[in-house]
Amino acid sequence: MSADIHIPARRERQEWLWHVAVLGLVVLWWLVYRQLSPLSEWLTSLLPVARTSHAGAAIAFFLYDVPKVLMLLALVVFAMGVVRSFFSAEKTRALLSGRREGLGNALAATLGIFTPFCSCSAVPLFIGFVSAGVPLGVTFSFLVAAPMVNEVAVFLLWGLVGWNVAVTYLVFGLAIATVAGWVIGRLRLEGWLQDWVREIHAGTAQPAADEGTRLRMVDRYRLGLDAVREIFARVWIWIIAGIAVGAFIHGYVPEEMMARVMGADAWWSVPAAVVVGIPMYSSAAGIIPVVEALLGKGAALGTVLAFMMSVVALSLPEMIILRQVLTLRLLAVFVSVVGAGILAVGFLFNMLF
């Protein structure tokens, strides 16, 4: 009996220890983050290359961006892992099912920012939403927004290239997801789903499963750490590869050449960027260092945003996965509508900026 009395006290003490540990790690993160620039310069100076040379510029970029991107990624993923613990697939489906087009599209696109999603989970999420009675167009809004306008992309853009680019990407990414889903919904293309998915769509939605007991804050912290481990295991190699490409561009590609190829004056640069981006396979975190280098070399903002959006929203691997639930006709409509939105964003920003 006495042991049971002490259990709440032990839990409260454990929770306070977690609070103090998390706060201490955030402070340590900030102190280390502020020293990354001088540290990268010091490490570059130890190497047998001139800092002003092409190789020196590329190496300094690489040594600075690798820890910077990984540290930003760890902080954002941990924070959003905690936030995501307040959501679930069942809650998301319940929130979206029965919503009218327009409002449902906007809500689905917004939820895509905070909901765990990547290309590999496209099929089960798509089926889950369809079986819950979520309209097809609303489901597509979520499908576009979740990989393209996720919190990792927005916060990394903010940290690497500035808040104005991050907010621009967020607003127009959500607009593309909302409008694309609305257009697909208005076309009434449920008959173009694969037969077995269409049968699920015609059935009765099942009620959401019980959410279980309420999580303590300690459990949410642990879920945040689990999210960091899971995301890092999946994307770290792509991040380093992306930074290596960005370092090469930063050090070796002349600004005049980049402005000529991807500048606002080259009208064909936007569709070319989309065509080049679609076959690539990268997470948003992996492609952002390339975006940083392209912008630093004078590439037009609209062209670069179009390139990034095509990589993360219309990648070839995602199309292969979605082919399991969509007919070729519906997949072609999806690519066409989203691609048209990305092209519009690219051309618009090249005209405005």
Side-chain angles (χ1 to χ4, degrees), residues 215-226:
L215 295 174
R216 296 182 300 143
M217 202 61 206
V218 171
D219 301 318
R220 302 188 192 282
Y221 286 146
R222 287 173 174 153
L223 287 172
L225 292 175
D226 289 342

Side-chain angles (χ1 to χ4, degrees), residues 17-49:
L17 288 174
W18 271 91
H19 290 327
V20 172
V22 169
L23 180 60
L25 287 174
V26 170
V27 172
L28 178 62
W29 182 97
W30 174 247
L31 293 174
V32 173
Y33 187 82
R34 293 186 63 183
Q35 299 303 314
L36 290 181
S37 181
L39 179 61
S40 65
E41 293 294 333
W42 176 73
L43 289 174
T44 305
S45 68
L46 299 178
L47 300 174
V49 294

Side-chain angles (χ1 to χ4, degrees), residues 256-294:
E256 303 78 24
M257 173 185 171
M258 187 58 64
R260 187 168 61 251
V261 174
M262 297 189 71
D265 293 335
W267 67 266
W268 44 266
S269 64
V270 174
V274 173
V275 170
V276 170
I278 289 176
M280 296 182 65
Y281 179 70
S282 176
S283 64
I287 203 64
I288 285 175
V290 180
V291 169
E292 179 189 17
L294 291 172

